[in-house]
């Protein structure tokens, strides 16, 4: 698996992991902190926006549009694995393609698809860390959604799946 593909798979895992934690908070009868939902909505919105820019289509969401927990689940399904699949399926020509776009402030830019895909994962990690901080601020234990934790889980799963000699 190449690095970009692995980052994409990590991003799906990390988003799923955070969503499961938010589900646990809600299932306990407590309110998911609105600031945590706002930040996680932003993660998923950004994925939708970048997918749209790469595909040359209009974004279905605004950058800071807020979603409830069910909306986050729906947007996660619509964006996390599709973003990963862009990473899996992109050949070198696609990765080096220059995308022209306008950001949420109206500024025009051009970026390589490879850089956009890398940014999407780094951006999501940054905001997932903010979600963890806000959960802790509200008395909830956050999950560890670090890349190395994902890698450790992959290694443990591989060891368990390996036939014993």
């Amino acid at each position: 698996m190449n690095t970009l593909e692995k980052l994409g798979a990590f991003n799906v895992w990390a988003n799923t992991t955070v969503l499961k934690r938010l589900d646990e908070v809600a299932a306990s009868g407590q309110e998911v902190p609105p600031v945590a939902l706002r930040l996680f909505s932003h993660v998923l919105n950004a994925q939708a926006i970048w997918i749209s820019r790469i595909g040359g289509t209009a974004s279905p969401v605004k950058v800071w549009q807020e979603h409830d927990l069910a909306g986050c689940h729906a947007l996660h399904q619509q964006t996390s694995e599709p973003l990963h699949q862009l990473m899996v399926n992109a050949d070198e020509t696609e990765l080096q393609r220059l995308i022209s776009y306008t950001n949420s402030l109206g500024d025009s830019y051009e970026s390589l698809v490879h850089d956009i895909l890398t940014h999407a994962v780094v951006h999501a990690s940054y905001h997932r860390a903010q979600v963890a901080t806000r959960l802790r601020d509200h008395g909830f234990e956050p999950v560890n959604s670090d890349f190395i934790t994902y890698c450790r889980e992959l290694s443990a799963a591989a060891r368990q799946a390996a036939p014993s000699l």
Side-chain angles (χ1 to χ4, degrees):
M1 182 183 315
N2 74 38
T3 301
L4 192 58
E5 289 177 31
K6 191 170 188 176
L7 286 173
F10 154 70
N11 190 63
V12 173
W13 170 87
N15 286 343
T16 301
T17 300
V18 169
L19 267 175
K20 284 180 184 175
R21 182 64 183 122
L22 298 179
D23 286 341
E24 291 169 1
V25 169
S28 75
Q30 299 184 61
E31 179 185 25
V32 175
V35 66
L37 277 175
R38 181 176 191 269
L39 289 164
F40 197 62
S41 292
H42 175 66
V43 167
L44 302 171
N45 292 338
Q47 291 180 170
I49 291 166
W50 286 116
I51 290 167
S52 294
R53 287 175 179 164
I54 291 169
T57 61
S59 173
V61 294
K62 302 290 183 201
V63 70
W64 284 103
Q65 184 175 334
E66 295 184 38
H67 309 284
D68 61 11
L69 191 51
C72 285
H73 274 280
L75 200 52
H76 167 59
Q77 291 301 316
Q78 295 165 15
T79 64
S80 295
E81 185 57 34
L83 184 67
H84 176 223
Q85 288 307 307
L86 285 174
M87 297 171 187
V88 168
N89 295 323
D91 61 14
E92 195 57 33
T93 300
E94 174 63 6
L95 292 174
Q96 296 305 314
R97 184 167 61 99
L98 202 58
I99 302 291
S100 299
Y101 59 93
T102 303
N103 72 3
S104 61
L105 300 175
D107 300 323
S108 296
Y109 293 98
E110 290 185 333
S111 298
L112 295 174
V113 169
H114 187 279
D115 294 340
I116 289 169
L117 295 173
T118 303
H119 166 75
V121 175
V122 172
H123 174 265
S125 291
Y126 172 80
H127 288 295
R128 281 190 299 265
Q130 289 181 315
V131 170
T133 299
R134 297 303 177 259
L135 285 173
R136 183 167 280 125
D137 289 347
H138 285 83
F140 300 105
E141 188 62 31
V143 293
N144 181 337
S145 62
D146 289 342
F147 178 73
I148 199 65
T149 302
Y150 168 73
C151 294
R152 290 173 187 154
E153 285 190 15
L154 281 181
S155 294
R159 282 192 303 275
Q160 286 186 340
S164 55
L165 300 174

